[in-house]
Amino acid sequence: MRKTTPDTPADLFVIGGGINGCGIARDAAGRGASVLLAEMGDLASATSSASTKLFHGGLRYLEYLEVRLVREALVEREVLLRAMPHISWPMRFVLPYHRDMRFESETPISKMLGLAMPWMKGRRPAWLIRMGLFMYDHLGGRKILPGTATLSLKGTKEGAPLQPRFERAYEYSDCWVEDSRLVVLNARDAEARGATIMTRTKVTHAQRDGALWRIETKDAETGAKATHYAKMLINAGGPWVGDVIHDKIDLPSREGVRLVRGSHIVTRRLYDHDKCYFFQGTDGRIIFAIPYERDFTLIGTTDAEHKDPDRRPVCTPEEQAYLINFANQYFAQSISDKDVVWTYSGVRPLYDDGASSATAATRDYTLKVDAEGGAPVLNVFGGKITTYRRLAESALEKIGEHVTLNSGPWTAGVAMPGGDFPVDGFDALVQAVSEKYSFLGEVWARRLVRAYGTEAETLLGEAKSAADLGRAFGATLTEAEVIWLMRQEFARTAEDVVWRRTKLGLRLSEEEISALDGWMTSRRERADAAE
């Protein structure tokens, strides 16, 4: 850990190890700033591991006239694809059309259409959807991703899972991303560029000490306390951003955060192709049904108010029923609770713009600097996975007014760890790894390349057989991979490994996960004793 004193303070102290905090830390470290980051749990342990796993412009945000946000996100899709083609990839989205589809009643477009065409009674006309998709195709200067097409659903693979009343659809492009791995890769790259990343380290208090911040922390595992000094504080606390403002640093801020819970269900695989469905409901909301981890389908999300960030978000029975009933309005074969194999839920910390509903609250980010009374603090509100890199650049513009930086923006086009191969080079990399390590087989090799990209070979080393990778924990997870995750990716527990660094929790039994946790605990204890 980098030691700081009043005489040798860090330039920045970042609170929060989610995508915004890690993205800012990476960008700042790459500009020569000295950076400390404290995360009270594991990296991406809250909102940033509980998204719908999409790099997308946000088609429905056009109904709210958030054109700047959508354009920025659309541009970013392709910037990010080039930087991380292992953990993100293009995906086609199928939007079935039916005349009963309706707007969310509070959107600006819905209100305007209600005045101009009251006989539509909130329905989305086909021409309006097509116009929105035309804008979606052209707002972001698309170069890699194909544009919108019109599909017949009769007798096609896209139509096969759906009820026969859906006869046509629109198909457009967006992208998938492994959200929690994105956070870890940002943290790794920040560390490689000189940042200090402290996980399971809670900020208990921070106060201005003249021109510096004095920050008190506590190790969540050992209880050890420490004091740090920094020229500027970055509050990227996510759902806890408001708590940091009012309880940790005692700022008289009127800025507020709106906590919105988004829940998802994962079912057995519901169809046999690799495209995502975009379903529009009669209540004006939308959900996605997405191919997930080869054998499953991910369905989400909901929008529900969530008052307390310390209350762990869970998919409630009501939310699960809502998602099942919504999907059953489209799928020919109904699903039920027995088809659900896993659920997860996260809290989105949206900027409180006074919107009338959780669905209507802005997904744009807001950055506020408070420099009154001494050392500056930057509070980060809102944001979405797709625009995290631009959020970081915007944050660095504000940081640069208070802290000396050695260079300007640099992250566009710079590969993440393991992402140094062409966007269309994934299959070739899988083939190369499969040939070099023939004992893996295609499925195992594909999983490793999806997670680690070109670093898969570094992880595998000189192994000639599965036995050379050490203990097998189940579902192709080996001792070599777990050691990599502990040494390189800040993993401490089995939960870190099977739910955030991978999704092997879907395939491992409770007994296998418990055995893994015991092994990791023992290894950590031996390492701590040796220090």
Side-chain angles (χ1 to χ4, degrees):
M1 181 189 301
R2 181 179 183 272
K3 301 294 185 182
T4 62
T5 69
D7 294 325
T8 59
D11 290 319
L12 304 177
F13 190 104
V14 181
I15 302 175
I19 189 57
N20 291 337
C22 290
I24 291 170
R26 177 192 184 227
D27 195 336
R31 302 192 199 202
S34 55
V35 181
L36 301 180
L37 181 148
E39 161 57 45
M40 64 180 177
D42 180 31
L43 296 173
S45 56
T47 304
S48 295
S49 59
S51 76
T52 312
K53 326 296 182 192
L54 299 178
F55 271 160
H56 66 134
L59 179 61
R60 76 179 184 87
Y61 303 147
L62 290 176
E63 293 183 12
Y64 293 91
L65 301 180
E66 296 214 44
V67 177
R68 189 211 63 80
L69 172 64
V70 174
R71 183 184 182 280
E72 183 174 83
L74 289 172
V75 171
E76 278 299 285
R77 291 181 313 182
E78 298 200 0
V79 173
L80 298 173
L81 275 177
R82 291 186 175 96
M84 54 196 80
H86 49 331
I87 64 166
S88 64
W89 56 91
M91 186 175 283
R92 294 292 277 173
F93 286 65
V94 177
L95 194 165
Y97 178 75
H98 191 273
R99 67 182 304 274
D100 290 337
M101 293 168 180
R102 282 173 164 76
F103 288 92
E104 202 279 323
S105 61
E106 295 301 314
T107 72
I109 293 293
S110 179
K111 291 176 179 178
M112 286 189 285
L113 208 63
L115 291 173
M117 303 171 64
W119 60 89
M120 293 299 292
K121 298 181 179 179
R123 292 194 298 272
R124 286 178 173 95
W127 62 264
L128 189 66
I129 293 174
R130 191 64 185 86
M131 185 172 73
L133 288 166
F134 178 85
M135 290 181 63
Y136 206 69
D137 278 347
H138 294 90
L139 272 175
R142 178 178 47 82
K143 295 179 180 178
I144 299 173
L145 301 172
T148 297
T150 301
L151 296 179
S152 171
L153 295 176
K154 287 190 173 183
T156 64
K157 64 181 181 181
E158 293 87 358
L162 302 178
Q163 296 171 15
R165 67 191 179 99
F166 297 104
E167 298 181 352
R168 64 173 167 143
Y170 301 108
E171 182 180 286
Y172 68 96
S173 292
D174 261 322
C175 306
W176 174 269
V177 64
E178 300 287 0
D179 54 4
S180 51
R181 290 209 56 73
L182 175 62
V183 177
V184 170
L185 295 184
N186 271 273
R188 280 189 58 202
D189 204 43
E191 185 180 61
R193 297 174 190 277
T196 297
I197 307 296
M198 302 176 288
T199 62
R200 292 171 168 83
T201 302
K202 186 171 186 177
V203 172
T204 56
H205 187 67
Q207 65 183 51
R208 287 175 168 127
D209 188 350
L212 300 176
W213 280 98
R214 184 175 187 269
I215 305 112
E216 308 291 342
T217 63
K218 181 178 181 180
D219 189 299
E221 294 179 336
T222 67
K225 297 179 180 180
T227 301
H228 313 271
Y229 292 87
K231 298 175 184 176
M232 188 169 185
L233 191 67
I234 311 299
N235 174 14
W240 292 271
V241 64
D243 286 8
V244 171
I245 291 171
H246 300 295
D247 299 337
K248 300 294 192 296
I249 59 180
D250 302 325
L251 284 184
S253 174
R254 287 180 290 182
E255 305 295 335
V257 64
R258 186 170 192 166
L259 302 181
V260 177
R261 186 176 66 253
S263 294
H264 304 75
I265 61 174
V266 176
T267 70
R268 57 180 176 78
R269 186 173 179 174
L270 300 180
Y271 52 89
D272 294 327
H273 59 78
D274 61 358
K275 298 179 181 180
C276 168
Y277 287 105
F278 179 119
F279 293 155
Q280 303 176 86
T282 56
D283 62 353
R285 281 200 33 76
I286 65 102
I287 63 169
F288 297 102
I290 313 172
Y292 190 59
E293 294 292 318
R294 198 176 76 248
D295 298 319
F296 306 96
T297 299
L298 171 64
I299 298 174
T301 179
T302 60
D303 279 321
E305 302 287 355
H306 191 89
K307 299 299 184 184
D308 183 0
D310 290 324
R311 180 166 63 87
R312 184 174 178 268
V314 296
C315 180
T316 65
E318 292 78 15
E319 287 175 306
Q320 179 167 314
Y322 174 82
L323 293 172
I324 289 172
N325 292 335
F326 201 142
N328 285 342
Q329 295 172 29
Y330 281 81
F331 287 123
Q333 295 292 322
S334 293
I335 60 174
S336 65
D337 290 334
K338 70 178 188 321
D339 295 304
V340 177
V341 299
W342 183 48
T343 68
Y344 69 90
S345 188
V347 176
R348 308 180 194 100
L350 308 180
Y351 182 67
D352 191 354
D353 61 352
S356 59
S357 69
T359 301
T362 182
R363 266 55 176 175
D364 208 347
Y365 54 83
T366 299
L367 307 174
K368 298 287 187 178
V369 174
D370 185 325
E372 296 182 10
V377 54
L378 171 65
N379 295 306
V380 180
F381 300 91
K384 56 201 292 284
I385 287 276
T386 315
T387 53
Y388 89 90
R389 192 195 66 83
R390 287 290 295 118
L391 182 153
E393 285 187 339
S394 297
L396 265 294
E397 288 179 14
K398 294 183 177 294
I399 289 167
E401 298 173 4
H402 303 275
V403 173
T404 301
L405 302 170
N406 294 341
S407 60
W410 64 274
T411 55
V414 176
M416 286 292 177
D420 49 338
F421 64 95
V423 171
D424 60 357
F426 176 79
D427 289 334
L429 184 55
V430 171
Q431 183 177 351
V433 170
S434 297
E435 290 175 355
K436 183 173 181 178
Y437 303 95
S438 57
F439 62 89
L440 292 176
E442 195 270 343
V443 171
W444 190 355
R446 181 170 288 269
R447 182 183 75 77
L448 292 177
V449 174
R450 271 292 174 227
Y452 308 108
T454 56
E455 292 187 322
E457 291 193 26
T458 308
L459 186 158
L460 293 165
E462 300 302 317
K464 303 298 182 185
S465 68
D468 293 336
L469 299 176
R471 178 172 172 175
F473 294 102
T476 72
L477 182 66
T478 65
E479 183 176 332
E481 184 174 358
V482 176
I483 290 173
W484 170 276
L485 294 173
M486 295 179 76
R487 288 178 175 172
Q488 304 293 331
E489 298 197 0
F490 311 97
R492 299 280 290 173
T493 69
E495 182 181 350
D496 300 347
V497 170
V498 306
W499 291 118
R500 285 183 286 277
R501 307 308 185 277
T502 74
K503 289 296 181 287
L504 292 176
L506 289 166
R507 304 182 186 280
L508 292 165
S509 68
E510 290 184 8
E511 292 76 15
E512 288 171 322
I513 294 173
S514 179
L516 170 63
D517 202 49
W519 185 89
M520 292 178 69
T521 299
S522 177
R523 184 175 180 85
R524 288 201 319 272
E525 290 173 348
R526 292 198 304 272
D528 291 344
E531 290 182 356

